[in-house]
Amino acid sequence: HARSRNYVSESEVCKLESVPLDFGDYHPLKPITVTESKTKKMNRKGSTSSTSSSSSSSMMDPLSSVLDGTDPLSLFAAAADPVTTTATMDSTRKKRDKDDSSAVGNDFEPWSSKRGEILARYTTTEKLSINLYMGSEKGKATTTGSAVSEKVRTRLEELDDLEEGSQKELLNLTQQDYMNRIEELNQSLKDAWSSDQKVKALKIVIQCSKLLSDTTVIQFYPSKFVLITDILDTFGKLVYERILSMCVDNRVSLPDNFSPESVNDTAKETCLNWFFKIASIRELIPRFYVEAAILKCNKFLSKTGISECLPRLTSMIRGIGDPLVAVYARAYLCRVGMEVAPQLKESLNKNFFDFLLTFKQIHGDTVQNQLVVQCVEIPLYLTLYSPAIDWILQCIAYRAPEVLLTEMMERCKKLGNNALLLNSVMSAFRAEFIAARSMDFIGMIKECDESGFPKHLLFRSLGLNLALADPPENDRHQILNEAWKVITKLKNPQDYINCAEVWVEYTCRHFTKREVNTVLADVIKHMTPDRAFEDAYPQLQSIIQKVISYIYDFSLLFSVEKFLPFLDMFQKESVRVEVCKCIMESFIKHQQESTKDPVILNALLHVCKTMHDSVNALTLEDEKRMLAALINGFIKMVSFGRDFEQQLSFYVEARSMFCNLEPVLVQLIHSVNQLAMETRKVMKGNHSRKTAAFVRACVAFCFITIPSLSSIFTRLNLYLHSGQVALANQCLSQADAFFKAAVSLVPEVPKMISVDGKMRPSDAFLLEFLCNFFSTLLVVPDHPEQGVLFLVRGLLNVIQDYTWEDNSDDKVRIYTNVLHLLSAMTQEAYIYHVDKVDSNDTLYGGDSKFLAEINKLCETVIAQILDHLKTLGKEETLKRQSQLALYFFNTILAHGDLRNNKLNQLSVNLWNLAQKHGFADTKTMVKTLEYIKRRSKQPEMSHFTDLALRLPLQSRT
C-alpha cells in the first residue's frame, strides 16, 4: 500500500527559502583593503596621543624588520615608503655582496658530488701495495738534553717510529682490497682518536699522505687521491673540533665568527703544538697534506693565519717533482681553501698560475719514461689530470668576473692552446661567458694539437655550454657547421654519438626541422653499420628526449622525415618501450587540442602498439597501469569532429590493437557510449534511419566488448551504463539485452574481490550496484512479449538465490530498496523519465492489474524482510535486529500509506521491536517521533497524529 506522491509539490516544499541579499560593495573575490593605524606617542606621562589612519592596499608585515626586507611580502609593504625601500635595498645589497665574497653558495658544486664519479671512472685491474702502520718493537732512544723535557722527547721519538721500520707493506692487493684497507685506516684513525692516542692518529694520517707520492699504478691515482683525502678531511675535522671544545668557557661555546682574542691560552697552545708536530715531519708530501688538512685551525691563532699559510703552502707544492702528484696537491689546497677562506681568491689564482708555469713538465722525459714503463698512452695519461684541473678552475671561476676568462684564454694561447687546459676552462666558467666567445673557442680548438687530447671532446664541452646559454645570433649557423664538420668525420661510433648527443640539443634549440632532420640522418648513417646503435642506447634515448622536448608540435615532429627511421634503431624491446613512453608522455603533456591528423594517428598508433605488445605474463600491474594510462590519453585526444562513423572505425581498430590492456578496453567502451550520446545531441533525440543504425552499431560494439573484461564489477557497471545509453537512444531491445546480461551476471559475483591489492568482501560493492540498477529499472518499459516487471522479478529471483554472508544484512537492505522502487512504480507519474521513451506509468496508465502485481511483489518482499528479522532474535544479533527494524520502519514511513490498518500496525510493531531490547539510539528515536508529529500538521497527514500516539518512547532504564 504505497502512498500516492506529488513529486512537484514535494519538491517545492523541500526547497530552501530564497532570501534577497544586497551585497553592496562586498564581494568575496574582491581584494581586501586593510586600514593601517599609525599611533604617535606624544607624552609618556599624559594619556594624550594622536592617531592618524591611512588606507593602504597592503598591510605591513610585522616580521619585515627581522627579515631585513628580503622576503617578497615585506618588499611589497616597503613599496609604500620610498625611504624604507632605498634603505632596505642598500642593506640587502651590502649583505649579498658580503655573502658573495665570504661564503660559498648553493650554486657551487661541492667536491662530494664529484667523488663518486671519480671513483667509478678511474679504476684498475693491476695489483696495488700499501704500507700499514704496525707500531715499533725497538727500544726508545735515550738521548738526553737539558733543554728538552722528557715529554717532548718521548713525542718526537714516537713520530720517528714511523720512519724507522714501524710499517708493514702489503703487496698484490686488488682494487677492492686496497679500498677496504684504506677504510680500515680511516676507522683506525677514529678509534685512536677516541681512545686519546693522538700521536698514533697523526702517524696514520702521515702514512696515508705518503701513499699520495706513489704513482706505480698511475691510472688509479685520482681514485687513490679521493680515498686518502677522505682520511685527511676526517683528521682535520677531529683536530678542529678538539681545539674548539677546549674553548668552551662556563659552558658557553665560541660563536661561528669568533676572533682569536676570544680563544683561551690552553687552546692556542694545543693548536700550536699540532702545527709544531706537523712541521717536524721530514717528507714534503705528508707535511704539506697534513698541514693543509688542519688549515682551518689557524683561526684559533690569528686573523691573518690562513691568508699567510695559503701562499706558503702554494710555494711548497713547487717542490713536488711529479706533475700529476703536484696538480692533485694543488687541487686539495683549493678544496680546503674554498672551505675555510673562499674570499682569498688571489692565493687560488697563484696556485693555478704556478701550475701553468710547470705545465710543460707533462711532456718531459721523466714523465714519458714513466709512461713507457707502465704501458700508458699519453691520451689516457692526460685524462688523469682532468678531475684536478677541473676542480682548480671551478674554484677560481666561481663568481669570477668575465675578464678572468679572457685572461685564461690568453694564457692557454701562450701554452699553444693545450687541449686539456682548454677543456677544463670550458667546463669551469659560466656557460654565458663561454657562449659569448664561441667563435673564439672554435678558433682555439682548431689550432689545438690533437695528439694528446682529441678535439671532439673539446667540441663536446663547448656543446654542453651552448645547451645552457645562447651564442650571438649571427654566429649560430657557423658554430653548428664548424662543430659538425669535426663530429661527422669521427670514425669511432662511441666518440661520435657522445658528441652528437650534445649538439642535437643546440640544433633543436636554434634551428628548424630541416637542420634537425639532417642531424638525425647523420646519426642514423653513423650508427647503423655493424649495429653500432646497440652499444649507444642511452645516448640515442637522450637524443629522442631532446628532440621531443623542443619539437612538441607532433604534426611538425612527424613531418621530420628521419624521425621514425631513427626510432627503428631501438631494437631492444625494453629500451624501445621506454622511448615510446617518453613520446606518449610528451604528446599528452603538450597536445592541447584533439587531432585527426592521419600522420599523427598512424605514427602514435604504431608507438602505442609497441607499448601494448610488450605486455606479457611477467609484466607488473603498475607497468600495465602506466601503459594503459598513456594509451588512454592518446585515445581521448583523437576526434574526427562530426564524422562519427570515422570515429567509431578508429575505436574498432584500437580495440583490435589493444585487447590485452583491460583499462584501454574500458576507455573504448566509455568513448563509444559518449559517441552515441553526442549523436543523440546532434539529432536532438530525433534519430533518422541512418543515425539510428549508427547508434545501434555503437551499442553492439559495447555489447561485444564488455564480456572480454575480467573484472566482474567493471562488467556489471558497464552493462548498466551501456544499457542507460541504449535506452536514451530509444534502442529498447538492446537496452533490455544489457540489463538481462547484468542480471545474469549477479550470481557470479564472488564473496571476496581484490581492491588495491587487498582482498575485500564484495557485499558493499554489490549493494551499491543494485541500488543504481533499481534507479534505472524504474524507467525501463516492460517488454510486450514478457510478463509484468520481468526484469525486476528476474533480479529478485537472483537476489533470493544468491548466497549471502551469515553475518550480513545486505540482503534485507536490498529488499528495502526494492520497496522504494515498487512504491515509485505505483505512482501516476514517475519522478523522472527518459526523453522519448514511454515508461510503465504511460504504458499501463495506472491499470489495476498492474498495481495488483506490484502489491503482490511488495507482500513477498515484506515477508522476506520479516522472516529475516525473526532469525535475528538471538541474543548476539539483537542489536542488528534493532537497527534493521528501525531502517524498515523509516522505509514504511517514507513510502507507505499508513492509513492502511495492516501497514499502520506493522510500523508500530517495528517501532516497538527496535526499542524492545534497549539497543535503539534514544536521540534517533526522539527525532523520528518529532518528525512524525511535524508531518501530522501537513494537509492530508492527520493520520500521523494517531500514529504518534501509538509510538511510545522507551526509557533507558
Side-chain angles (χ1 to χ4, degrees):
H1 294 275
R3 70 184 181 90
S4 59
R5 309 280 292 271
N6 186 333
Y7 293 116
V8 176
S9 61
E10 283 185 37
S11 176
E12 289 297 327
V13 170
C14 295
K15 275 185 182 175
L16 291 173
E17 185 182 355
S18 58
V19 179
L21 182 62
D22 183 17
F23 284 102
D25 292 335
Y26 169 76
H27 190 279
L29 300 181
K30 203 174 182 182
I32 298 170
T33 303
V34 178
T35 303
E36 179 191 340
S37 297
K38 296 181 180 177
T39 305
K40 296 180 182 176
K41 293 184 180 177
M42 303 298 290
N43 192 347
R44 184 177 292 273
K45 292 180 181 177
S47 59
T48 312
S49 65
S50 66
T51 305
S52 62
S53 295
S54 62
S55 183
S56 169
S57 62
S58 61
M59 187 171 64
M60 289 292 285
D61 181 4
L63 301 178
S64 58
S65 57
V66 180
L67 293 169
D68 208 12
T70 53
D71 71 301
L73 293 178
S74 55
L75 285 175
F76 280 118
D81 186 353
V83 177
T84 311
T85 306
T86 309
T88 301
M89 287 175 66
D90 287 345
S91 65
T92 305
R93 192 182 298 114
K94 286 176 184 174
K95 184 177 179 183
R96 187 177 67 244
D97 292 346
K98 183 181 177 185
D99 289 347
D100 284 0
S101 61
S102 62
V104 174
N106 292 332
D107 53 340
F108 183 80
E109 188 181 2
W111 173 258
S112 56
S113 67
K114 298 178 179 292
R115 183 181 177 280
E117 184 187 341
I118 295 171
L119 288 173
R121 182 178 174 189
Y122 298 98
T123 58
T124 183
T125 53
E126 294 187 34
K127 298 299 181 184
L128 303 157
S129 62
I130 190 171
N131 293 323
L132 283 179
Y133 168 68
M134 303 299 292
S136 178
E137 298 297 328
K138 71 177 185 62
K140 300 286 184 287
T142 55
T143 310
T144 58
S146 56
V148 183
S149 68
E150 187 67 27
K151 182 180 178 183
V152 173
R153 187 175 68 251
T154 304
R155 291 285 176 88
L156 289 172
E157 287 170 351
E158 285 179 345
L159 281 174
D160 285 341
D161 274 357
L162 183 64
E163 301 180 24
E164 295 181 17
S166 60
Q167 303 170 65
K168 177 184 177 184
E169 187 171 21
L170 297 177
L171 302 171
N172 297 325
L173 297 175
T174 64
Q175 179 182 321
Q176 189 58 49
D177 291 338
Y178 187 91
M179 293 170 77
N180 293 340
R181 295 292 181 185
I182 295 291
E183 184 53 42
E184 285 174 20
L185 283 172
N186 201 352
Q187 190 57 47
S188 300
L189 166 66
K190 293 174 185 175
D191 294 343
W193 192 272
S194 60
S195 59
D196 208 29
Q197 296 178 326
K198 303 294 187 291
V199 173
K200 182 181 177 183
L202 180 59
K203 286 180 179 181
I204 291 171
V205 175
I206 293 170
Q207 172 196 348
C208 290
S209 304
K210 277 188 169 187
L211 295 173
L212 290 173
S213 61
D214 174 25
T215 57
T216 48
V217 184
I218 203 163
Q219 63 267 37
F220 184 64
Y221 191 84
S223 292
K224 184 199 288 188
F225 170 79
V226 168
L227 297 169
I228 301 296
T229 50
D230 283 351
I231 295 177
L232 289 164
D233 292 342
T234 302
F235 177 71
K237 188 178 178 184
L238 290 170
V239 173
Y240 183 81
E241 288 175 352
R242 162 76 177 151
I243 298 169
L244 188 64
S245 67
M246 298 173 74
C247 299
V248 176
D249 189 22
N250 296 327
R251 295 186 178 180
V252 178
S253 57
L254 288 176
D256 290 339
N257 54 345
F258 65 87
S259 62
E261 290 77 19
S262 56
V263 179
N264 59 44
D265 291 341
T266 309
K268 284 185 176 178
E269 184 182 347
T270 305
C271 188
L272 279 169
N273 189 21
W274 276 109
F275 280 111
F276 290 152
K277 283 178 187 174
I278 292 164
S280 67
I281 299 172
R282 294 174 187 171
E283 292 187 29
L284 171 62
I285 289 177
R287 185 167 73 251
F288 163 79
Y289 272 107
V290 180
E291 183 174 352
I294 66 163
L295 181 66
K296 191 176 181 180
C297 295
N298 279 286
K299 288 171 66 176
F300 296 110
L301 301 176
S302 71
K303 287 183 178 179
T304 59
I306 293 174
S307 59
E308 290 168 1
C309 279
L310 276 173
R312 179 172 57 78
L313 289 170
T314 301
S315 300
M316 281 173 67
I317 299 172
R318 293 175 182 174
I320 300 175
D322 190 313
L324 185 65
V325 177
V327 78
Y328 276 94
R330 295 184 192 284
Y332 187 66
L333 187 60
C334 282
R335 185 169 133 198
V336 176
M338 284 299 283
E339 285 177 13
V340 300
Q343 72 276 14
L344 299 175
K345 284 287 182 70
E346 288 300 319
S347 299
L348 300 180
N349 293 352
K350 182 174 180 286
N351 188 6
F352 183 68
F353 294 144
D354 269 9
F355 163 69
L356 292 181
L357 291 172
T358 59
F359 190 74
K360 291 180 182 176
Q361 280 183 290
I362 292 175
H363 301 286
D365 292 341
T366 310
V367 172
Q368 298 298 326
N369 294 337
Q370 184 185 15
L371 296 183
V372 170
V373 171
Q374 295 201 33
C375 302
V376 174
E377 298 289 333
I378 191 74
L380 175 61
Y381 176 67
L382 288 177
T383 59
L384 302 178
Y385 283 81
S386 292
I389 299 175
D390 287 350
W391 177 258
I392 295 168
L393 275 167
Q394 181 185 324
C395 296
I396 292 171
Y398 180 63
R399 291 183 180 171
E402 201 166 350
V403 67
L404 182 62
L405 175 58
T406 309
E407 185 181 348
M408 286 292 175
M409 290 172 73
E410 291 302 320
R411 286 180 178 266
C412 283
K413 285 176 183 175
K414 286 179 184 176
L415 286 169
N417 289 330
N418 183 274
L420 177 65
L421 275 179
L422 199 56
N423 190 61
S424 294
V425 167
M426 287 192 288
S427 301
F429 280 87
R430 286 173 57 186
E432 293 83 359
F433 295 170
I434 305 294
R437 296 170 172 76
S438 299
M439 289 308 298
D440 295 337
F441 274 104
I442 284 175
M444 293 170 73
I445 292 170
K446 282 181 175 178
E447 294 170 14
C448 278
D449 177 19
E450 201 168 357
S451 60
F453 199 93
K455 284 184 182 180
H456 69 83
L457 292 180
L458 296 174
F459 274 108
R460 187 177 191 278
S461 296
L462 180 61
L464 287 170
N465 281 291
L466 294 178
L468 299 171
D470 298 335
E473 194 167 346
N474 295 335
D475 295 340
R476 288 175 187 174
H477 216 283
Q478 191 177 353
I479 291 168
L480 180 61
N481 288 339
E482 294 291 346
W484 210 261
K485 277 180 196 172
V486 176
I487 296 168
T488 197
K489 289 177 183 173
L490 294 172
K491 297 286 186 277
N492 184 317
Q494 206 60 40
D495 291 344
Y496 170 84
I497 197 65
N498 285 335
C499 271
E501 174 204 354
V502 172
W503 282 88
V504 161
E505 184 164 2
Y506 173 77
T507 311
C508 294
R509 189 169 174 149
H510 298 297
F511 298 98
T512 63
K513 72 170 189 176
R514 188 171 66 87
E515 287 82 0
V516 173
N517 191 55
T518 306
V519 169
L520 292 181
D522 197 57
V523 173
I524 294 168
K525 178 184 166 187
H526 278 78
M527 301 309 293
T528 305
D530 301 324
R531 298 177 69 83
F533 53 77
E534 290 183 345
D535 299 320
Y537 283 138
Q539 293 92 330
L540 294 172
Q541 211 169 333
S542 173
I543 289 174
I544 284 286
Q545 286 170 340
K546 285 168 182 172
V547 170
I548 61 179
S549 65
Y550 283 98
I551 308 177
Y552 40 77
D553 177 354
F554 274 72
S555 58
L556 183 64
L557 179 66
F558 289 124
S559 66
V560 175
E561 188 184 339
K562 294 296 179 181
F563 182 74
L564 291 175
F566 190 93
L567 288 182
D568 291 338
M569 285 197 291
F570 294 98
Q571 304 275 312
K572 189 178 179 184
E573 186 182 58
S574 59
V575 182
R576 189 166 72 245
V577 171
E578 284 303 314
V579 171
C580 290
K581 281 158 70 174
C582 284
I583 293 170
M584 292 312 301
E585 282 167 4
S586 176
F587 176 78
I588 292 166
K589 181 180 178 182
H590 294 112
Q591 187 73 21
Q592 299 296 324
E593 298 175 354
S594 53
T595 182
K596 61 176 181 179
D597 186 330
V599 176
I600 295 178
L601 295 189
N602 289 330
L604 291 185
L605 275 173
H606 172 70
V607 169
C608 290
K609 177 70 173 161
T610 302
M611 293 194 300
H612 169 269
D613 291 349
S614 69
V615 174
N616 55 41
L618 300 177
T619 306
L620 297 173
E621 286 302 318
D622 281 350
E623 178 71 7
K624 287 182 185 177
R625 201 176 296 120
M626 181 189 290
L627 294 177
L630 292 173
I631 296 172
N632 284 345
F634 164 61
I635 288 170
K636 289 175 187 174
M637 293 306 296
V638 176
S639 173
F640 290 88
R642 286 290 187 89
D643 191 349
F644 293 157
E645 290 183 354
Q646 184 67 35
Q647 187 85 32
L648 183 60
S649 298
F650 170 77
Y651 291 144
V652 170
E653 185 182 359
R655 181 179 62 183
S656 66
M657 294 176 78
F658 309 127
C659 53
N660 289 335
L661 288 171
E662 191 161 305
V664 179
L665 294 178
V666 172
Q667 177 59 47
L668 287 170
I669 292 167
H670 284 308
S671 297
V672 170
N673 278 329
Q674 186 179 356
L675 188 62
M677 294 307 289
E678 283 178 13
T679 308
R680 177 181 182 275
K681 185 179 178 182
V682 169
M683 299 303 293
K684 298 179 180 176
N686 298 311
H687 283 298
S688 64
R689 183 177 294 180
K690 184 179 180 182
T691 58
F694 174 76
V695 166
R696 285 197 292 273
C698 291
V699 169
F701 175 99
C702 299
F703 194 75
I704 292 167
T705 311
I706 293 172
S708 63
L709 304 176
S710 61
S711 168
I712 193 157
F713 277 103
T714 303
R715 275 186 280 162
L716 282 171
N717 287 312
L718 285 173
Y719 274 134
L720 178 58
H721 184 219
S722 301
Q724 290 166 347
V725 170
L727 198 61
N729 283 283
Q730 301 131 51
C731 301
L732 301 184
S733 58
Q734 286 84 353
D736 281 349
F738 279 116
F739 297 140
K740 282 179 184 175
V743 170
S744 62
L745 195 59
V746 169
E748 297 178 25
V749 174
K751 296 289 174 291
M752 306 290 285
I753 57 169
S754 177
V755 180
D756 296 331
K758 295 179 181 177
M759 297 306 290
R760 300 279 170 82
S762 63
D763 290 0
F765 297 95
L766 184 57
L767 178 62
E768 182 187 1
F769 166 75
L770 289 172
C771 289
N772 288 337
F773 198 3
F774 294 147
S775 301
T776 304
L777 289 178
L778 175 64
V779 293
V780 177
D782 279 348
H783 195 285
E785 295 176 6
Q786 307 282 350
V788 176
L789 303 180
F790 74 102
L791 283 173
V792 177
R793 289 176 188 279
L795 189 54
L796 283 173
N797 290 334
V798 166
I799 294 167
Q800 176 64 28
D801 297 338
Y802 187 80
T803 309
W804 300 89
E805 293 290 329
D806 293 336
N807 59 348
S808 169
D809 297 320
D810 287 329
K811 184 176 180 180
V812 171
R813 295 184 187 280
I814 290 169
Y815 278 145
T816 311
N817 282 310
V818 170
L819 289 177
H820 301 171
L821 168 64
L822 294 173
S823 168
M825 283 183 162
T826 62
Q827 306 304 317
E828 285 186 22
Y830 290 171
I831 189 169
Y832 49 80
H833 293 87
V834 176
D835 189 32
K836 301 205 169 43
V837 174
D838 291 331
S839 298
N840 286 339
D841 57 342
T842 306
L843 293 179
Y844 290 106
D847 183 72
S848 57
K849 290 182 181 178
F850 174 65
L851 295 177
E853 288 291 336
I854 292 176
N855 285 336
K856 281 182 187 176
L857 276 178
C858 284
E859 287 173 11
T860 307
V861 170
I862 289 172
Q864 292 282 347
I865 294 172
L866 294 176
D867 287 345
H868 186 80
L869 284 171
K870 285 177 187 175
T871 63
L872 299 178
K874 298 173 186 173
E875 190 174 344
E876 63 272 14
T877 55
L878 289 176
K879 187 174 182 180
R880 283 166 55 198
Q881 185 189 55
S882 171
Q883 290 170 344
L884 282 178
L886 185 60
Y887 184 61
F888 188 24
F889 172 82
N890 286 328
T891 295
I892 293 173
L893 195 63
H895 299 280
D897 184 0
L898 290 171
R899 285 173 294 194
N900 179 278
N901 291 332
K902 284 186 179 179
L903 206 55
N904 195 302
Q905 185 58 48
L906 176 60
S907 64
V908 173
N909 293 343
L910 288 169
W911 176 270
N912 293 330
L913 181 62
Q915 297 184 99
K916 186 175 181 181
H917 300 286
F919 288 106
D921 179 44
T922 308
K923 280 185 181 179
T924 306
M925 304 304 281
V926 170
K927 285 182 178 178
T928 305
L929 194 56
E930 287 174 358
Y931 166 78
I932 293 170
K933 289 175 180 177
R934 279 200 310 274
R935 287 286 303 275
S936 67
K937 295 174 184 177
Q938 293 177 6
E940 299 181 12
M941 289 291 177
S942 56
H943 57 283
F944 270 45
T945 307
D946 298 332
L947 177 66
L949 295 172
R950 298 177 65 196
L951 300 178
L953 275 175
Q954 191 172 349
S955 65
R956 283 188 177 278
T957 55

